[in-house]
Amino acid sequence: MAVITGNELRTGDVIWWTGEGWSRHVDEAAAVDHDADGIIARENAKQVVTDTHVIDAFRGADGTVRPAHIKDRIRALGPTVRLDLSLKPADPAAGNWVI
């Protein structure tokens, strides 16, 4: 199956086309067919979403939608690090790290 994803222009959040609108939850993504380009053009014109594109996905036995490519799985399911180890906006040590 194929689904449409993009980023919400206002927040930058990853969003998924549901068939009627956008959701932050990949499980609500709707399969798209030959009209994906038309949907993308219409939604881009509203200036609510950016970087819209079609990706391959599959529906698991439990009914969940999972993107086929690892990059899109990370976009759908979040960071690959422990959240307690990630940079916090008010971290006083931010900018002092040596990489």
Side-chain angles (χ1 to χ4, degrees):
M1 76 189 259
V3 297
I4 299 174
T5 185
N7 295 88
E8 186 178 34
L9 193 57
R10 187 174 47 88
T11 64
D13 290 347
V14 175
I15 53 179
W16 307 89
W17 178 249
T18 67
E20 297 179 8
W22 295 95
S23 173
R24 287 180 176 80
H25 305 285
V26 68
D27 285 334
E28 296 177 5
V32 295
D33 53 14
H34 61 282
D35 194 34
D37 291 334
I39 294 168
I40 289 172
R42 185 180 70 240
E43 292 300 312
N44 283 345
K46 293 179 183 177
Q47 298 182 348
V48 173
V49 62
T50 186
D51 192 29
T52 49
H53 54 283
V54 177
I55 64 164
D56 290 326
F58 62 91
R59 190 168 301 278
D62 59 356
T64 59
V65 176
R66 291 292 175 256
H69 192 276
I70 187 67
K71 175 189 144 232
D72 296 310
R73 286 185 199 168
I74 293 169
R75 288 182 73 242
L77 302 175
T80 59
V81 299
R82 289 180 20 204
L83 293 179
D84 62 322
L85 298 178
S86 64
L87 177 66
K88 307 297 183 281
D91 190 339
N96 295 329
W97 301 346
V98 177
I99 298 177

